[in-house]
Amino acid sequence: MNLFIYTSLDTNHRNILRQQLPPECNLVFRTELSPAEVEKAFQAAEVIMGNPPVDWFAQVPPKLVFWQLDSAGFDQYQNVKVSALTANMGDFFARPCAETMVGGILAFYRGIPELVKRQTTKEWRGNQIRPQLDLLGTKKVMVLGAGTIGMACKQMLKGFGCEVKTTARRNPEADIHSFEEILKNLPYTDVVVNTLPGAADKFVKEEFLQAMKPGSLYASVGRGSTTDEQALLVALQAGKLAGAVLDVTEQEPLPASSPFWEMENVLLTQHTGGGYFAEEAGKINQFLKNFTLFRNGEPITDQVNLAQGY
């Protein structure tokens, strides 16, 4: 069986895969191939691990039967037509993404970015900074999305004492189910956390931002495309919002010309939200677990439907 590993793995993790898979598996790593060899290997794949570029699927590998994504989101593949069993990473990235959001929001209220700047210039400004600080635990929060990342955010924020509402169109566990309800609640919300998938294109637009409470905070770990960045920029520059914590942006890497780089009320976490030291090992474990289930004819975990988006 031909296994095409698109995921970038270091030598140690590539060797772990080689050791764990049965000898009849022909294991091919993209990172070990020349550009001329990659396309041929991809087209011969019966199993794929990772997220190849969408345009590669203009011609779907004819023998593809199982595909393990190494991401939670997969909206970029919505129009890819494959009959292979497909799985994503489920809730693997939920906790690190949520911790990044909570950490960024907490840092904003406790003045950590400002204090770090003062440390680099060796300025003791504690007495001047203290009156500007705020408490996270007193805040009312709206989490856009009630998926695994959204619910992890809710759990952590409630631990700080926040009042948290989640939104979703159909999920019965969510508190708010329509855009109209969201707009009604925004004037009373101190923090908005965006965990939406890419299908919600420009969900956070001018109408949304203008409905937000003056002085509130916007944080995003959903897809960058879900935020109208020009409208966000205007809201920040006008003082409508106190600040933003952005893990994702419309264009990544964020262009050097973007005003966000130089705005003191914007914290950029550079799409590190899902990352941590065990990330590669976790992707391998998920792949091995699901590949074993697949080979044994058992239901795989975190199976998804690309066209439906979940």
Side-chain angles (χ1 to χ4, degrees):
M1 179 172 278
N2 293 323
L3 278 66
F4 179 75
I5 311 301
Y6 182 84
T7 306
S8 295
L9 301 173
D10 62 27
T11 301
N12 178 54
H13 287 101
R14 292 200 299 271
N15 288 335
I16 289 173
L17 262 185
R18 288 187 173 103
Q19 294 163 8
Q20 294 292 322
L21 290 166
E24 62 268 24
C25 291
N26 177 35
L27 196 57
V28 179
F29 293 91
R30 170 185 59 90
T31 52
E32 296 178 348
L33 301 175
S34 69
E37 296 170 317
V38 169
E39 183 177 354
K40 182 178 179 181
F42 174 72
Q43 284 300 320
E46 296 169 76
V47 173
I48 295 174
M49 174 185 174
N51 294 24
V54 176
D55 57 8
W56 288 19
F57 289 92
Q59 184 177 349
V60 176
K63 296 183 179 180
L64 184 63
V65 290
F66 173 62
W67 180 11
Q68 175 65 60
L69 298 158
D70 61 14
S71 64
F74 50 91
D75 51 276
Q76 69 271 38
Y77 297 117
Q78 187 172 9
N79 296 319
V80 171
K81 308 296 183 184
V82 297
S83 58
L85 285 176
T86 305
N88 73 343
M89 291 295 291
D91 63 359
F92 179 76
F93 296 107
R95 180 162 290 276
C97 284
E99 288 192 4
T100 291
M101 286 294 92
V102 174
I105 295 166
L106 187 60
F108 182 86
Y109 283 128
R110 301 309 302 162
I112 304 303
E114 177 68 14
L115 290 165
V116 170
K117 290 178 183 176
R118 298 306 174 188
Q119 183 173 342
T120 61
T121 56
K122 300 180 181 179
E123 296 178 75
W124 189 269
R125 298 288 301 278
N127 287 339
Q128 290 76 30
I129 293 173
R130 283 175 67 102
Q132 304 169 21
L133 304 182
D134 205 342
L135 297 176
L136 173 58
T138 62
K139 300 296 179 282
K140 294 182 178 180
V141 183
M142 180 187 295
V143 178
L144 304 179
T148 56
I149 296 174
M151 298 310 283
C153 287
K154 178 180 180 178
Q155 179 190 41
M156 292 180 193
L157 289 164
K158 285 179 70 70
F160 278 92
C162 297
E163 179 183 323
V164 185
K165 292 182 179 180
T166 57
T167 77
R169 287 179 298 174
R170 292 183 292 270
N171 190 333
E173 293 186 29
D175 304 291
I176 299 172
H177 296 93
S178 71
F179 189 71
E180 290 70 27
E181 286 183 87
I182 289 173
L183 293 180
K184 289 179 181 179
N185 279 270
L186 283 175
Y188 311 102
T189 300
D190 301 297
V191 182
V192 172
V193 182
N194 179 354
T195 72
L196 296 172
D201 187 61
K202 299 292 189 295
F203 187 88
V204 178
K205 52 190 176 181
E206 182 179 6
E207 181 183 13
F208 184 106
L209 293 162
Q210 290 306 310
M212 288 178 66
K213 181 179 179 180
S216 57
L217 182 65
Y218 178 68
S220 180
V221 72
R223 291 285 181 176
S225 60
T226 63
T227 302
D228 182 336
E229 287 187 359
Q230 185 57 40
L232 175 61
L233 180 62
V234 170
L236 288 166
Q237 291 175 331
K240 170 70 176 181
L241 304 184
V245 179
L246 304 177
D247 189 61
V248 291
T249 53
E250 286 187 279
Q251 184 177 341
E252 297 181 0
L254 183 67
S257 59
S258 172
F260 289 143
W261 285 112
E262 299 180 7
M263 297 180 72
E264 293 190 354
N265 59 345
V266 174
L267 177 59
L268 298 167
T269 58
Q270 302 189 30
H271 210 144
T272 61
Y276 65 113
F277 74 94
E279 185 175 351
E280 284 195 3
K283 290 177 180 179
I284 288 173
N285 290 337
Q286 182 84 342
F287 173 76
L288 290 172
K289 178 178 70 174
N290 260 343
F291 183 60
T292 299
L293 291 171
F294 170 76
R295 282 172 55 84
N296 293 336
E298 300 175 37
I300 61 174
T301 60
D302 300 312
Q303 182 174 349
V304 297
N305 184 307
L306 298 180
Q308 291 179 348
Y310 57 87

